[in-house]
Amino acid sequence: MKHDGFWSIGELAERAGGTVKTVRFYSDLGLLPESPRSSGGHRRYGPAALERLRLIRSLRALDLP
């Protein structure tokens, strides 16, 4: 786990109470902010992505598309 203020996709999913597959889905749809990539090409997510993911999950829980 890096402590650069960014999380891996798995860490983000865990913090948001979701799955990696869900994070990828929303990211690929463009619903999450553009994420920088690590030197190895892995997506790195910050606090804005966590806030957005929590919002999306809350809206989905209300049956909003």
Side-chain angles (χ1 to χ4, degrees), residues 1-21:
M1 176 189 306
K2 289 188 176 187
H3 296 284
D4 58 1
F6 290 92
W7 307 296
S8 69
I9 195 168
E11 291 167 334
L12 176 65
E14 184 177 327
R15 287 174 182 261
T19 65
V20 169
K21 185 176 179 178

Side-chain angles (χ1 to χ4, degrees), residues 2-50:
K2 289 188 176 187
H3 296 284
D4 58 1
F6 290 92
W7 307 296
S8 69
I9 195 168
E11 291 167 334
L12 176 65
E14 184 177 327
R15 287 174 182 261
T19 65
V20 169
K21 185 176 179 178
T22 300
V23 174
R24 279 198 187 108
F25 177 75
Y26 290 137
S27 184
D28 290 346
L29 284 178
L31 295 177
L32 294 178
E34 194 69 32
S35 63
R37 300 280 180 150
S38 70
S39 59
H42 299 278
R43 300 174 196 198
R44 304 292 293 164
Y45 294 93
L50 179 57

